[in-house]
Amino acid sequence: MKGTMLRKTLYALTAASAVALASPAAAEPLKVGFVYVSPIGEAGWTWQQDIGRREMEAALGDKVKTQYVEDVPEGADAERVIRDLAQQGNQLIFTTSFGYMNPTIKVAKQFPDVKFVHSTGYKTAPNVATTNARFYEARYVAGMLAGKMTQTKVVGYVGAYPIPEVLQGINAFTRGLRSIQPDAQVRVIMVNSWFDPGKERDAALALLDQGADIVTHHTDSTATVQAAEERGKYAIAYHSDMSKFGPKAQLGAVTHHWGPYFTKEVQSVLDGTWKSNQVWGGFKEGMVALEGFGPAVDDELKTFLKQQEDAIAAGTLNPFAAPIKDNEGKVRLADGALDDKGLNAMDYYVEGVVGKLGKN
């Protein structure tokens, strides 16, 4: 009898163990890492990326756990940080600056089971996707805003580096400006940095000294908007709404929105459906916007700008429709509209931009 009871007890224990083994343990959260090129701060490119990270966390709850490293220089430091995040068990890593492209590709080869998404680059791999926003679409409408508001017909533009992404913005802004003011000009100073508030401020002040009554920027800090506020001039912010730093100066802000995209990518990893791809979204996809309008922009002008935004989203207005001439008079496109290949190979200033590439 005892033997029978013992056998039953052992059987019950064995069966319970089998059930326990067959039952999945509570799923561990997916670890997701982010590499930021500048401090998060209170505005700018990295600030907007971090808003996207937090929106993704809010959407997915305890299914995800994120970590980030901010203010990571492009180059060797980036490679080290990306590798460290992979070694810490992050299964998806977002590398959020153009100069992280080659380090991302290199580390991805060493960690084939980790997924990577690189922002603003063009190189992919089986475990590396790329994403970008069509910043130039909102830049074109921002140029129209500047065209409606400028008195001197001179607009200043603080740029980071003369790469296609930055040139697309300068050229689209200029074409939008000149669609309103055909003889207006854009003066550009490149600071050769994504984030250097001191250089950005000096460049903005120099442009204001050259007669600009509106300044804008493709850099990360709020320095350009603050310089305009100090001088009693206007500014169009970039990356995020910077009205806190220029309540009278800011006419509007070209902003980027990453939360839905980050959420979609993370969810696809959770679902086991993630694939390397290249996403480039604009107004239509909700990845760019012109918002944060200041007190100087009335409702009539806001309505006009929204109409242009809707036309771009619908495909009836193209910021780079022919004819396109560079600022030396050479025809760059005679018919049609610039395609993505042409946009990503842009290496010139359009008509209306003062100066030559590489020279301030």
Side-chain angles (χ1 to χ4, degrees):
M1 188 70 179
K2 288 183 179 179
T4 302
M5 291 181 65
L6 179 60
R7 282 195 298 273
K8 287 182 178 179
T9 302
L10 289 173
Y11 175 79
L13 289 171
T14 302
S17 298
V19 170
L21 289 171
S23 301
E28 289 290 322
L30 183 78
K31 295 183 70 175
V32 183
F34 290 78
V35 186
Y36 296 149
V37 74
S38 57
I40 293 173
E42 297 179 85
W45 170 260
T46 294
W47 167 257
Q48 207 70 13
Q49 293 276 337
D50 199 60
I51 287 176
R53 178 188 67 83
R54 287 181 272 135
E55 289 176 350
M56 179 267 290
E57 276 190 326
L60 298 178
D62 59 8
K63 292 189 291 185
V64 64
K65 181 179 181 180
T66 70
Q67 68 180 117
Y68 60 83
V69 184
E70 59 186 312
D71 202 15
V72 178
E74 296 171 329
D77 281 347
E79 183 181 328
R80 175 185 57 77
V81 169
I82 297 166
R83 183 179 294 106
D84 186 50
L85 287 171
Q87 289 171 336
Q88 290 181 53
N90 287 282
Q91 295 132 295
L92 175 62
I93 299 172
F94 291 92
T95 59
T96 65
S97 188
F98 181 80
Y100 296 160
M101 182 169 62
N102 289 333
T104 300
I105 293 292
K106 185 174 180 179
V107 175
K109 290 179 181 178
Q110 299 164 356
F111 295 87
D113 294 330
V114 177
K115 311 296 190 296
F116 298 82
V117 176
H118 176 240
S119 297
T120 75
Y122 54 86
K123 291 183 180 180
T124 62
N127 60 331
V128 180
T130 63
T131 186
N132 204 351
R134 294 185 183 273
F135 314 123
Y136 67 87
E137 291 183 354
R139 287 291 201 184
Y140 183 85
V141 182
M144 299 177 94
L145 170 59
K148 291 285 190 177
M149 299 300 296
T150 183
Q151 297 295 314
T152 65
K153 298 184 182 182
V154 177
V155 179
Y157 203 118
V158 179
Y161 297 97
I163 61 174
E165 175 196 328
V166 178
L167 298 177
Q168 289 163 22
I170 294 169
N171 289 339
F173 182 89
T174 303
R175 287 171 64 84
L177 171 72
R178 286 166 69 89
S179 73
I180 305 297
Q181 300 280 4
D183 56 344
Q185 61 177 226
V186 174
R187 295 181 175 271
V188 180
I189 295 178
M190 295 286 182
V191 296
N192 297 310
S193 174
W194 294 116
F195 180 81
D196 190 323
K199 285 184 178 180
E200 295 169 52
R201 173 183 167 78
D202 289 346
L205 292 174
L207 291 164
L208 292 168
D209 287 341
Q210 291 174 30
D213 59 353
I214 300 173
V215 287
T216 188
H217 59 108
H218 191 139
T219 47
D220 288 2
S221 87
T222 59
T224 297
V225 174
Q226 289 174 298
E229 182 79 7
E230 291 173 20
R231 288 285 186 89
K233 303 297 183 181
Y234 288 133
I236 297 175
Y238 191 52
H239 299 314
S240 66
D241 185 347
M242 297 181 177
S243 55
K244 174 181 176 181
F245 302 91
K248 295 179 181 177
Q250 182 171 295
L251 292 173
V254 172
T255 61
H256 319 142
H257 301 272
W258 303 105
Y261 173 78
F262 288 165
T263 302
K264 179 175 176 292
E265 290 297 295
V266 173
Q267 187 63 58
S268 70
V269 175
L270 289 166
D271 294 341
T273 59
W274 189 93
K275 291 182 180 179
S276 172
N277 60 10
Q278 293 182 291
V279 172
W280 199 6
F283 278 133
K284 183 178 179 180
E285 296 78 11
M287 291 181 76
V288 299
L290 180 62
E291 56 187 338
F293 295 110
V297 182
D298 61 28
D299 288 343
E300 183 180 355
L301 180 49
K302 290 176 188 176
T303 298
F304 168 77
L305 297 171
K306 184 62 167 62
Q307 290 169 345
Q308 313 315 306
E309 179 180 324
D310 291 344
I312 291 174
T316 57
L317 174 62
N318 190 310
F320 288 108
I324 299 175
K325 284 185 180 180
D326 66 24
N327 69 348
E328 296 181 347
K330 180 180 178 180
V331 176
R332 294 289 183 154
L333 188 71
D335 299 294
L338 210 56
D339 60 15
D340 286 355
K341 183 178 179 181
L343 287 167
N344 285 319
M346 190 169 281
D347 61 355
Y348 56 87
Y349 286 140
V350 297
E351 209 171 23
V353 182
V354 176
K356 294 184 178 182
L357 285 171
K359 295 182 180 180
N360 292 336

